[in-house]
Amino acid sequence: MPIDLHRSATDLATAVRAGDVSPVDLVEASLDRIEALNDRTNAFVNVLHEAARERAAAAERAVDAGEDLGALHGVPVAIKDLSYTKAGVPNTAGIAALEDNVAAETSVAVQRLEDAGAIVVGTTNTPELGHTPRTYNELQGPTGTPFDPERNAGGSSGGSAAALGEGLVPLATGSDVGGSLRTPASCCGVASVKPTHGLIPREARPNAFGSHTPFGVLGPMARWVEDLGLLLEVMAGRDDRDPFSVPKPDRYDDVSPADPEGLRLAHSPTLETFAVDEAVREVVADALGTVEDAGATVDPAELDGPDRGDLTYAYGVAATVHFAVVADAVQHEHGLDFTGDDADDVSDTFVQTLAMGRGYDATTYRETDEVRTALYDAVESALSGYDALVCPTLATPTLSHDEPFPTEIDGQNVSGLPMDWMLSWVFNMTGHPVVNVPAGLVDGLPVGMQLVGPRYSESRLLDVAALFERENPWAGAYPRVES
């Protein structure tokens, strides 16, 4: 019987340990599906055919020998072609000039996946250094959402999200500086976790302190909420190479739907800051209605935060400085010049982002922390007495590959910047953990919503997400394209 890669990774891992599913067959099913369907969305950059088959054969021998097996034994996983590296595998970070760059080391997160028995089948597409919420680069081209490949998968973890939505793999990884886990999850109808800063370690060098502003994090992506918990459990926990990493404060692999009785949710359709398409607001409200009907309390939220202009400016400074610093390190390491000889090999938005970031001085950069503080206080106030704050992830469904970011949303004029389209980046500024789950469809395109909680509340947020999944199931919405 063919293996359904839309099946939950938790079920597949259980079946492998029981001897009911062969790791070799499971990996072959993933590789076959990638081979047949990757041209549709352009999710994968590199596919590790032989390495994955070798690990699958070793995984099968371990099952046959009765060895102790990890939580992800034999399960295929895709890794984002950015902060996740596997020794001997190309690592481009979406930069055409790094097409032949090969990772010298395996990153902490990938090592933890492999130690748990997961089998990396390939790397997934991302814009240069993950700088934009649209997945496109001069090396690989655009990545489309499985719901309509002519529309973008979102960014910057678009390749991972598309691979999940297309059923190429059951698990994938991403990273997030302003919404890069949640935006593509929303565009591709999958789930993701932006964890609290430090929960998943990253051993960034030469600058181990470079991810603190804004809060750049690694995180898991999956189609099923229980799989998010399983992947987070494997990835989380302190590593002394990351000065921000923290001991794991909870377990995440025992997800169960929250009891709606006593569950209190605060709902803000616009965060009192954004213009949001009416159809998106209605889909999120309908999803909330399903858990309210089950017994949960849903109240309007008041978010008394900074002025929109101050907030946008503060994030713009912090984010562009972040990318400029990271780009400078890449240029130095590889002998590149993104504003000179190598400018033609990167996207215009990348060059513009670096130019903006290099235009700010250190004082301006640090002063943005005052705006962040006021925003943090506002979110904490909105969360007081509630399990989660709920809001849309994006102001509209996903856009086509070449479509400009909106200049009008819900009848309101906006600036045409990505920050008007995304409701995600505000929580990078504050550091709150967020679980993105599908809310429903608008004109056949997926709409995501964010479940925001206090720091280190990931376990509770996953249970709340599982309740939404039970009351508002999305598994049947995926396009089932046969390989």
Side-chain angles (χ1 to χ4, degrees):
M1 179 182 296
I3 296 173
D4 182 6
L5 288 170
H6 283 87
R7 184 176 170 185
S8 89
T10 303
D11 286 348
L12 288 170
T14 300
V16 167
R17 289 193 295 272
D20 296 332
V21 170
S22 157
V24 170
D25 291 345
L26 183 50
V27 167
E28 284 297 335
S30 178
L31 292 174
D32 287 349
R33 197 161 169 82
I34 294 168
E35 179 71 22
L37 296 178
N38 192 55
D39 285 347
R40 212 175 83 87
T41 62
N42 194 31
F44 278 88
V45 178
N46 287 287
V47 183
L48 312 182
H49 298 92
E50 295 311 313
R53 288 186 174 111
E54 289 175 7
R55 285 188 62 87
E60 188 144 313
R61 291 193 295 270
V63 174
D64 293 341
E67 298 178 12
D68 290 337
L69 307 177
L72 299 176
H73 192 83
V75 178
V77 62
I79 59 173
K80 183 179 181 180
D81 187 24
L82 188 55
S83 301
Y84 298 88
T85 60
K86 179 172 166 57
V89 172
N91 177 225
T92 75
I95 297 170
L98 299 183
E99 181 177 9
D100 297 323
N101 179 59
V102 175
E105 298 180 345
T106 298
S107 61
V108 173
V110 174
Q111 190 62 62
R112 289 181 175 181
L113 295 176
E114 294 192 328
D115 288 347
I119 298 174
V120 177
V121 295
T123 61
T124 55
N125 202 22
T126 179
E128 296 97 341
L129 296 182
H131 77 283
T132 177
R134 198 193 311 258
T135 294
Y136 167 85
N137 58 60
E138 297 295 327
L139 171 64
Q140 188 74 6
T143 294
T145 173
F147 288 79
D148 179 357
E150 296 303 312
R151 292 176 179 263
N152 201 264
S156 63
S157 308
S160 287
L164 289 167
E166 193 77 300
L168 308 184
V169 287
L171 296 172
T173 66
S175 56
D176 194 309
V177 170
S180 289
L181 280 156
R182 292 156 287 155
T183 296
S186 180
C187 293
C188 295
V190 300
S192 64
V193 179
K194 182 193 85 71
T196 306
H197 190 240
L199 191 60
I200 297 177
R202 55 193 305 171
E203 69 287 24
R205 293 297 183 276
N207 183 1
F209 292 86
S211 67
H212 73 291
T213 305
F215 278 72
V217 295
L218 307 180
M221 307 179 76
R223 285 183 301 274
W224 302 83
V225 174
E226 66 175 351
D227 293 348
L228 282 183
L230 179 62
L231 196 48
L232 183 60
E233 175 67 20
V234 168
M235 296 173 71
R238 186 181 181 277
D239 185 280
D240 59 13
R241 286 165 289 186
D242 182 352
F244 293 111
S245 66
V246 297
K248 190 160 46 182
D250 214 333
R251 288 195 67 91
Y252 308 108
D253 57 353
D254 57 352
V255 176
S256 60
D259 182 355
E261 298 294 335
L263 178 67
R264 293 178 55 81
L265 302 174
H267 173 216
S268 177
T270 65
L271 296 179
E272 300 180 52
T273 301
F274 295 87
V276 177
D277 185 79
E278 181 180 3
V280 170
R281 287 184 275 120
E282 288 177 353
V283 165
V284 172
D286 288 346
L288 276 164
T290 64
V291 298
E292 193 170 24
D293 290 344
T297 297
V298 179
D299 292 329
E302 294 185 6
L303 196 70
D304 187 17
D307 174 82
R308 171 60 190 271
D310 292 342
L311 185 58
T312 303
Y313 178 76
Y315 177 77
V317 171
T320 57
V321 168
H322 165 84
F323 287 116
V325 170
V326 174
D328 284 349
V330 171
Q331 290 181 122
H332 177 75
E333 180 179 359
H334 297 283
L336 303 175
D337 182 1
F338 295 134
T339 57
D341 293 342
D342 299 297
D344 290 341
D345 294 327
V346 294
S347 61
D348 291 343
T349 57
F350 185 59
V351 174
Q352 293 162 5
T353 297
L354 303 189
M356 289 176 62
R358 290 169 180 150
Y360 298 115
D361 60 28
T363 301
T364 300
Y365 176 75
R366 291 304 301 269
E367 285 174 347
T368 63
D369 286 345
E370 293 184 12
V371 178
R372 293 181 67 183
T373 301
L375 178 62
Y376 173 83
D377 290 344
V379 175
E380 284 292 295
S381 179
L383 280 169
S384 180
Y386 293 94
D387 295 274
L389 169 66
V390 182
C391 66
T393 305
L394 300 173
T396 75
T398 186
L399 309 172
S400 65
H401 296 304
D402 298 322
E403 184 178 357
F405 290 104
T407 56
E408 181 180 308
I409 299 173
D410 194 39
Q412 300 180 48
N413 293 328
V414 294
S415 65
L417 295 173
M419 285 180 287
D420 290 317
W421 184 60
M422 308 154 63
L423 283 74
S424 53
W425 53 270
V426 294
F427 304 112
N428 292 82
M429 297 287 281
T430 65
H432 289 86
V434 186
V435 175
N436 177 92
V437 293
L441 302 175
V442 170
D443 297 330
L445 296 172
V447 168
M449 64 182 177
Q450 300 182 92
L451 312 178
V452 185
R455 293 193 182 194
Y456 304 109
S457 65
E458 284 84 354
S459 180
R460 179 60 171 166
L461 289 176
L462 286 166
D463 288 348
V464 175
L467 175 64
F468 276 98
E469 183 180 46
R470 187 186 76 189
E471 300 298 326
N472 187 47
W474 53 78
Y478 295 115
R480 293 294 187 118
V481 182
E482 297 302 321
S483 57

